[in-house]
Amino acid sequence: MTCRDLPAAGRRTGDPSRHGGRSAASVPPPPALPRRGSTGRRVLSALFWLGLVAAVLPWWLDTPAGSLAGTADLLTAAGRVTGLIAGYLLLVQVLMMSRLGVLERGVGGERLSRVHRDLGATLLVAVLAHLSLLVVGYARTQGNPVTTQVGVLLRDFDDLVSAFVAAGILVLVGGTGVRAVRRAVPYELWYHLHLTSYLALLLGFGHQFSNGAQLFPPGPVRTGWTAGYLLVAAALVWGRLVAPLLLNLRHRLRVTDVVAESPDTVSIYLTGHRLLQLDLLGGQYLRWRFLTRGCWWQSHPFSPSAAANGRWLRLTVKVVGGHTADLRDLRPGTRVWVEGPSGTCTAAHRTRERALLIAGGSGIGPLRAMLEELPPGAALIYRARTPADVLLQHELDWLAQARQTAVWYVVGSRDDAGPRQVMSPDGLRRLVPDLTRRDVYLCGPQGLVDSSVRALRRAGVPRRQIHLAPFEL
């Protein structure tokens, strides 16, 4: 069925006095956030391509015209070029994993994850091409079989054993990055396997400077690559260690209440110090580590389900596994270690004044927070399987009045005719006649997001106006 108003579900909303004295629906919404441009992302993109040119340019300048006469020379040259490309891409990959604030909030952790995954495939191809081309090229030059040449390289060249180990690590990491493999592997195992990329950077460092034709001789090229390694290492130390330490010393977050929103969903309220200084926008996420038995050793990304108000924070989490099940048993006073915030799926990054938000299930959390920061006149379509699956309904109804927001609850299975009609291109245009002149934010299960994006594109919404909030990373 499709309905505009649902009856109150009788869910407990918690004692407001335990998390700051006021319920989420009673906090006056803040003024709409001003828009931010995309200049920063364009600058970073330009820097990436300039860096790639700078990485390969020394080979071009050092290679005389006519020097690539035979097949062996061409193979060796191609191996050196792909090696320079692979070295540069590995630095970029590790930099994107550094959680540097300027990248996490400027580019967005969700976009970084997508670029990191796509660039990882290119890196893997470059590494394998580098190894294969050089081995075959050297084998042709010296008249050795390929297998014999591998033994010669490992025996006679410094740091090549560690380089081969680094290549093996990158193959393993690249294999687990395939979407189907990642979904089959537990998050914690996948996460720790990807941390070995740092080891690959360390193991691959030596052979570049001891055997690389462009990096071995002292000079500006060697100095530039050394500076690149040092800058990436500094970004790692700052983003992974120093910045989180300062953040947690400043805010000292603790759990104050855990409230059941539905049989499989809970809201976790937190308080801390100087929360007004927390640079958090609705729609962004942080990585949360609850320092209690069974939870302290892993962190997970969750978006607050209410805009920052200086008094408390709230997460609304659906129980889908062992870790999220343990969150239902958190006790008041539990300390929390947090990293972030990250993400660009916010009201500040919109391209139009009006917005449409499409949520599914617990994906309502970040979009409900974003509603408080969007200009009046937004629209929300909330997709749920049953009325009991609609979360935070009383708050959404309050925001509909406070922010002049049109809210539609679209309830039913994916095969029901009503929801299918509403979520079609014609159905979306009927609900929101000015659809193509709005930004559209989506957060929910992948199936809902994919089908909604297809419907939006067929309805004429430009791709640049469609924003995907991270439902999972």
Side-chain angles (χ1 to χ4, degrees):
M1 73 176 172
T2 303
C3 53
R4 179 68 180 270
D5 298 304
L6 292 177
R11 293 186 290 272
R12 185 168 67 94
T13 59
D15 179 3
S17 65
R18 298 182 65 184
H19 49 262
R22 306 178 73 181
S23 68
S26 67
V27 177
L33 292 174
R35 283 188 285 178
R36 299 178 181 177
S38 58
T39 303
R41 292 197 296 272
R42 292 172 181 169
V43 169
L44 291 172
S45 178
L47 288 175
F48 168 80
W49 290 108
L50 286 174
L52 182 59
V53 171
V56 178
L57 186 61
W59 172 85
W60 178 268
L61 297 177
D62 291 344
T63 304
S67 61
L68 305 179
T71 302
D73 292 335
L74 288 172
L75 290 171
T76 302
R80 289 172 177 166
V81 171
T82 52
L84 292 169
I85 293 173
Y88 174 72
L89 292 182
L90 181 57
L91 283 175
V92 172
Q93 287 285 79
V94 174
L95 181 62
M96 287 193 293
M97 294 170 61
S98 67
R99 296 184 184 171
L100 203 60
V102 65
L103 296 177
E104 293 284 311
R105 290 187 287 273
V107 179
E110 66 279 9
R111 184 177 281 106
L112 284 174
S113 295
R114 292 196 297 270
V115 174
H116 179 78
R117 182 176 61 247
D118 296 341
L119 205 59
T122 306
L123 171 61
L124 183 59
V125 171
V127 168
L128 295 177
H130 170 61
L131 285 173
S132 303
L133 291 167
L134 281 184
V135 168
V136 175
Y138 287 156
R140 280 178 168 268
T141 300
Q142 299 179 16
N144 291 327
V146 170
T147 53
T148 301
Q149 188 62 43
V150 171
V152 170
L153 291 173
L154 293 175
R155 184 184 68 241
D156 297 343
F157 287 77
D158 295 336
D159 302 312
L160 277 191
V161 173
S162 60
F164 271 78
V165 173
I169 291 173
L170 290 176
V171 170
L172 177 63
V173 171
T176 58
V178 176
R179 188 181 296 273
V181 176
R182 177 176 174 179
R183 288 178 176 173
V185 173
Y187 174 83
E188 294 78 15
L189 176 60
W190 173 87
Y191 173 77
H192 287 98
L193 281 174
H194 271 64
L195 288 182
T196 60
S197 298
Y198 301 143
L199 182 60
L201 182 67
L202 181 64
L203 292 173
F205 174 84
H207 92 284
Q208 291 181 286
F209 290 88
S210 59
N211 299 298
Q214 277 68 49
L215 274 63
F216 175 73
V221 175
R222 184 184 179 98
T223 301
W225 276 85
T226 302
Y229 271 93
L230 291 175
L231 286 174
V232 170
L236 276 175
V237 171
W238 180 265
R240 290 276 183 170
L241 299 176
V242 178
L245 179 61
L246 294 176
L247 178 72
N248 285 278
L249 288 175
R250 183 185 308 119
H251 297 298
R252 289 174 280 176
L253 297 177
R254 292 175 181 267
V255 173
T256 59
D257 200 7
V258 178
V259 175
E261 300 287 352
S262 74
D264 62 354
T265 306
V266 297
S267 284
I268 304 167
Y269 288 86
L270 309 103
T271 57
H273 297 264
R274 292 182 280 186
L275 294 185
L276 279 175
Q277 299 177 20
L278 183 61
D279 184 17
L280 174 66
L281 302 178
Q284 290 183 321
Y285 65 90
L286 301 98
R287 295 174 176 89
W288 304 83
R289 188 185 301 272
F290 297 91
L291 305 181
T292 187
R293 184 177 180 179
C295 298
W296 64 269
W297 59 279
Q298 55 183 312
S299 67
H300 286 260
F302 297 122
S303 296
S305 58
N309 54 54
R311 292 179 291 281
W312 46 266
L313 300 173
R314 185 185 67 188
L315 311 176
T316 300
V317 180
K318 184 179 179 65
V319 176
V320 293
H323 176 74
T324 48
D326 291 339
L327 299 183
R328 293 183 293 191
D329 301 322
L330 290 174
R331 295 182 178 181
T334 299
R335 293 179 179 272
V336 183
W337 180 271
V338 65
E339 297 179 48
S342 177
T344 58
C345 191
T346 72
H349 292 85
R350 66 190 185 278
T351 64
R352 299 289 186 271
E353 278 305 304
R354 288 195 165 192
L356 166 65
L357 291 76
I358 301 176
S362 59
I364 190 60
L367 300 190
R368 179 255 177 266
M370 196 187 307
L371 269 178
E372 297 186 59
E373 298 173 345
L374 285 167
L380 168 67
I381 298 174
Y382 188 1
R383 186 75 177 85
R385 185 178 295 273
T386 68
D389 294 324
V390 175
L391 304 174
L392 310 175
Q393 184 199 339
H394 67 293
E395 297 181 19
L396 297 175
D397 293 340
W398 166 74
L399 282 168
Q401 298 295 323
R403 306 294 288 188
Q404 293 86 54
T405 299
V407 178
W408 292 277
Y409 300 99
V410 181
V411 180
S413 74
R414 68 180 65 182
D415 298 323
D416 289 353
R420 290 179 62 183
Q421 175 59 34
V422 171
M423 302 305 295
S424 68
D426 291 338
L428 292 173
R429 279 192 293 258
R430 277 195 292 269
L431 283 184
V432 189
D434 60 346
L435 176 64
T436 58
R437 299 192 299 275
R438 291 178 181 251
D439 282 285
V440 183
Y441 296 86
L442 301 102
C443 187
Q446 195 62 46
L448 171 67
V449 171
D450 290 344
S451 62
S452 297
V453 170
R454 288 194 296 269
L456 290 166
R457 295 291 291 136
R458 289 200 297 268
V461 179
R463 190 174 298 277
R464 65 179 177 276
Q465 292 172 216
I466 301 175
H467 312 270
L468 308 182
F471 193 67
E472 60 180 18
L473 293 175

